[in-house]
Amino acid sequence: MSPPPAAPSSPLPAAYADDAISLILERRLTVERRPKILWVELTNKCNYACVMCPNAADVTQKRGFTFMSRDLFRKVVDEAASFDPFFAIFLGGESMLHPHLFEMIRYGKERGLSKIHLVTNGSMLTEKRCAETLDSNLDLLTFSFDGYDRKTFEYARIGGSFDEVTANIRRLLRMKKARGLSKPYTKIYALDLHHEGDAKFAAFFESFRDDGLNEYGVEKPGHWAGRFLGTDRFIAPENGPRFFPCHYLWKSLSILADGTVVPCCADFEGQLPIGDAHAETLLEVWNGPRLKAMRESHLAARVDRYGLCAKCDVVWHHAVDERGVPAALADPRRPVVKLNP
């Protein structure tokens, strides 16, 4: 009899802002340690038009739909392999639309990346794709599922079928369980668009416990750097009066499908280019002049020149502690419910 698989552990970052807070308080422009998170966009094309997503607001079409080349992806992976960041395969589109997705994941694993994270809307998880996902040695798989019944899901996820996606998620979970696998660690992530409370979501997501889902989380939506301020589509937050520099500038990089490097996972259009992954290394960009200039502007609370930053709810807060650190960053734990930890 073969031994049971090792108990899964979440490869998610342990803390939301971690040491970025210290680096900001120390007013560091140069960050000696490597980026902790890379967001890698395989495509900005999506088969949904979600009400809370900039991609559905004709934003990404401004730069045209594109797919990351395998050569560029390999270059990014080869450079990242030396510092093994949390490697998130998602940004502006649905990564499962990329024809070489699983080949790319396998390449990342072969090069030693230990925290590869794929986010999907779950619409394309046929039996074949479920098998390919499980065969790829992926570390973390998150299903974006913004609803708890057909009405709420299909309101949020325009173009999606509640019944189809629910069945697809259960299919993958059951195939994983039947194989006795501990990977990928699986999570359902939902936005409570109308602040209905966790109970309704919990009642539905608990039904995935016996299928083997590892955890789920429910959060309130943001407004995507001011794009949805005042929207009537969902309840968006109001910015507070207190500014604190964006911790992402001290912890992560985002690489768009065309190779443009941006400082922010909300920059779907490439408004704030800080480098070119074709021509520069990630570490050259990380402490390059454009990103250091952004850090300096944030430390001085002068961000009007950076349109996305000026209205972003990540930097404008209601409550801060005695150091000026926002409460949401001082206590960085994201609410999750462990079903099969």
Side-chain angles (χ1 to χ4, degrees):
M1 178 181 297
S2 60
S9 60
S10 173
L12 283 164
Y16 186 46
D18 47 61
D19 66 338
I21 298 297
S22 297
L23 294 170
I24 290 169
L25 294 176
E26 293 168 6
R27 306 186 68 79
R28 299 281 189 90
L29 298 183
T30 298
V31 181
E32 295 178 0
R33 66 125 172 85
R34 306 315 193 212
K36 289 198 167 186
I37 302 174
L38 293 182
W39 276 282
V40 181
E41 180 188 73
L42 297 193
T43 181
N44 61 342
K45 188 176 180 60
C46 191
N47 56 345
Y48 280 9
C50 299
V51 297
M52 67 295 186
C53 180
N55 205 357
D58 297 326
V59 167
T60 19
Q61 288 88 328
K62 292 179 182 177
R63 62 184 173 101
F65 292 124
T66 189
F67 291 82
M68 181 174 283
S69 71
R70 284 179 286 183
D71 286 344
L72 177 58
F73 182 83
R74 291 188 190 106
K75 179 180 183 293
V76 170
V77 167
D78 289 346
E79 293 173 13
S82 66
F83 54 95
D84 193 22
F86 184 75
F87 195 92
I89 300 179
F90 70 103
L91 202 63
E94 171 53 53
S95 296
M96 283 210 171
L97 290 170
H98 199 292
H100 304 295
L101 168 64
F102 299 109
E103 172 192 330
M104 290 167 152
I105 294 172
R106 288 193 299 271
Y107 183 78
K109 295 305 299 179
E110 289 166 3
R111 295 290 289 127
L113 296 181
S114 66
K115 300 175 287 292
I116 299 181
H117 178 199
L118 174 66
V119 177
T120 178
N121 60 33
S123 64
M124 300 179 67
L125 281 171
T126 61
E127 185 172 354
K128 179 176 183 293
R129 283 183 171 268
C130 287
E132 290 177 306
T133 302
L134 298 175
D135 290 341
S136 70
N137 201 23
L138 178 69
D139 297 290
L140 172 64
L141 177 63
T142 294
F143 306 102
S144 291
F145 196 103
D146 303 303
Y148 52 81
D149 58 15
R150 185 176 295 107
K151 180 181 178 181
T152 53
F153 177 89
E154 294 182 4
Y155 169 80
R157 305 212 139 239
I158 298 172
S161 164
F162 173 82
D163 293 333
E164 178 182 56
V165 174
T166 300
N168 288 349
I169 294 172
R170 294 195 194 281
R171 176 187 295 119
L172 183 135
L173 294 173
R174 290 169 181 174
M175 288 175 65
K176 175 190 167 188
K177 192 173 183 178
R179 290 192 188 189
L181 299 176
S182 61
K183 291 172 52 177
Y185 190 92
T186 53
K187 176 178 181 176
I188 292 178
Y189 174 78
L191 293 175
D192 181 1
L193 296 180
H194 295 101
H195 297 197
E196 297 181 70
D198 293 354
K200 293 180 179 179
F201 290 89
F204 174 62
F205 294 152
E206 284 285 339
S207 72
F208 291 90
R209 182 186 294 272
D210 289 344
D211 297 317
L213 182 70
N214 294 116
E215 69 179 50
Y216 68 85
V218 182
E219 294 189 30
K220 293 180 175 61
H223 54 58
W224 283 101
R227 293 187 186 94
F228 292 106
L229 275 170
T231 184
D232 60 0
R233 297 180 180 186
F234 56 91
I235 299 175
E238 294 183 359
N239 287 345
R242 303 295 297 272
F243 179 87
F244 189 80
C246 177
H247 57 94
Y248 288 111
L249 303 181
W250 281 263
K251 69 183 290 187
S252 65
L253 293 173
S254 298
I255 302 101
L256 303 184
D258 64 1
T260 302
V261 184
V262 293
C264 173
C265 59
D267 188 1
F268 283 18
E269 312 96 305
Q271 290 184 35
L272 303 175
I274 56 171
D276 178 356
H278 291 284
E280 302 167 88
T281 69
L282 297 177
L283 295 184
E284 287 171 340
V285 175
W286 179 236
N287 282 308
R290 282 180 281 186
L291 184 50
K292 288 172 73 173
M294 285 196 72
R295 290 173 184 150
E296 186 173 24
S297 292
H298 273 249
L299 289 173
R302 294 195 299 266
V303 295
D304 287 347
R305 62 181 289 200
Y306 301 112
L308 287 179
C309 304
K311 295 181 179 179
C312 187
D313 51 322
V314 172
V315 299
W316 292 105
H317 302 271
H318 292 278
V320 298
D321 65 16
E322 66 280 359
R323 302 169 298 167
V325 176
L329 300 184
D331 183 10
R333 294 167 294 181
R334 284 188 163 187
V336 297
V337 177
K338 306 278 189 180
L339 300 181
N340 292 282

